[in-house]
């Protein structure tokens, strides 16, 4: 999907900056359980930022798009990305989210 089409669709959902919703909270709890992690998030990427709809176990602050792991995922050919060790991955080894709080190591 082209970026302009993706953004048009995202804005059409009118989900950005909305209140928490239980179905999204359920998704993050399930994702953490399945992946064996202490935390999980459901994020949406607009033109400038990564906005968090639901979060478990960490801060829910916006992330600048250039630092967001999800920005790489949305351009992946199959829409999936697995990073087993962010410190060992050249795309993320210097990322502030890896080097500082929350010290990300795993991403799926």
């Amino acid at each position: 999907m082209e970026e302009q089409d993706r953004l048009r669709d995202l804005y059409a959902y009118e989900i950005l900056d909305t209140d928490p919703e239980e179905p999204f909270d359920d998704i993050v709890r399930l994702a953490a359980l399945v992946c064996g992690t202490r935390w999980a998030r459901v994020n949406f990427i607009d033109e400038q930022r990564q906005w968090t709809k639901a979060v478990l176990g960490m801060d829910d602050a916006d992330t600048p798009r250039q630092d967001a792991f999800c920005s790489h995922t949305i351009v992946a050919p199959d829409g999936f990305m697995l990073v087993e060790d962010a410190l060992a991955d050249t795309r993320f080894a210097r990322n502030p989210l890896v080097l500082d709080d929350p010290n990300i190591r795993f991403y799926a």
Side-chain angles (χ1 to χ4, degrees):
M1 174 180 282
E2 294 293 322
E3 177 68 358
Q4 288 309 110
D5 294 335
R6 187 192 68 76
L7 288 169
R8 183 195 65 237
D9 292 348
L10 172 64
Y11 297 136
Y13 284 119
E14 297 182 346
I15 197 165
L16 297 173
D17 302 308
T18 58
D19 291 333
E21 297 177 59
E22 189 64 29
F24 289 95
D25 295 338
D26 291 342
I27 290 169
V28 294
R29 285 191 291 273
L30 180 60
L33 179 67
V34 168
C35 294
T37 61
R38 295 179 305 227
W39 50 268
R41 299 168 73 128
V42 171
N43 298 313
F44 293 94
I45 304 288
D46 69 14
E47 292 175 278
Q48 302 296 321
R49 65 183 172 146
Q50 170 179 277
W51 176 76
T52 300
K53 176 64 177 170
V55 63
L56 175 71
M58 65 186 304
D59 184 14
D60 68 348
D62 290 357
T63 302
R65 184 171 174 165
Q66 70 268 13
D67 295 337
F69 281 54
C70 294
S71 288
H72 294 266
T73 304
I74 62 176
V75 297
D78 60 0
F80 179 79
M81 183 176 73
L82 177 66
V83 179
E84 293 190 36
D85 182 354
L87 279 173
D89 189 307
T90 57
R91 296 171 293 181
F92 305 109
R94 294 191 156 152
N95 185 301
L97 300 172
V98 174
L99 299 175
D100 298 317
D101 189 46
N103 302 106
I104 294 171
R105 296 297 178 267
F106 174 82
Y107 175 94

